[in-house]
Amino acid sequence: MSESRSPEERRQHPGVRAIFPEACEALRPFFEQATRWEGQTHEHLAYRTLKELFPQLGGQESFIVVTTAKRLFATGKYPPAS
């Protein structure tokens, strides 16, 4: 049986939440359907860009941001560019 925790207790990376909207916009070209190259995303370039823009992020935090952004763009749940 799993423990029930409040959302505050589960959050281990509050810094990720703070930078996520800005980071997601920076990663848009790598994951948005309309800008894919040969139908493929370019995750390695997304990681590189993220590290350049947010050098304070650790490896696990970078993974969280890139993976979440990729999933949001793939499902169309992230708002279109304005």
Side-chain angles (χ1 to χ4, degrees):
M1 192 179 324
S2 65
E3 290 181 34
S4 63
R5 298 184 197 176
S6 70
E8 293 77 32
E9 292 175 24
R10 290 191 321 223
R11 293 187 186 124
Q12 298 176 6
H13 305 282
V16 170
R17 186 177 180 97
I19 61 98
F20 187 77
E22 185 180 352
C24 211
E25 281 304 313
L27 300 180
R28 180 183 295 275
F30 305 108
F31 298 120
E32 203 167 45
Q33 292 288 341
T35 57
R36 288 185 174 196
W37 298 297
E38 298 287 323
Q40 300 294 314
T41 64
H42 286 272
E43 262 180 76
H44 63 287
L45 295 175
Y47 279 105
R48 186 177 191 175
T49 298
L50 192 65
K51 196 60 175 170
E52 289 173 4
L53 295 174
F54 302 98
Q56 75 275 18
L57 292 179
Q60 186 177 17
E61 293 169 323
S62 294
F63 176 78
I64 291 167
V65 172
V66 170
T67 304
T68 305
K70 181 179 178 182
R71 188 176 321 138
L72 287 173
F73 285 116
T75 61
K77 292 184 178 178
Y78 198 75
S82 47

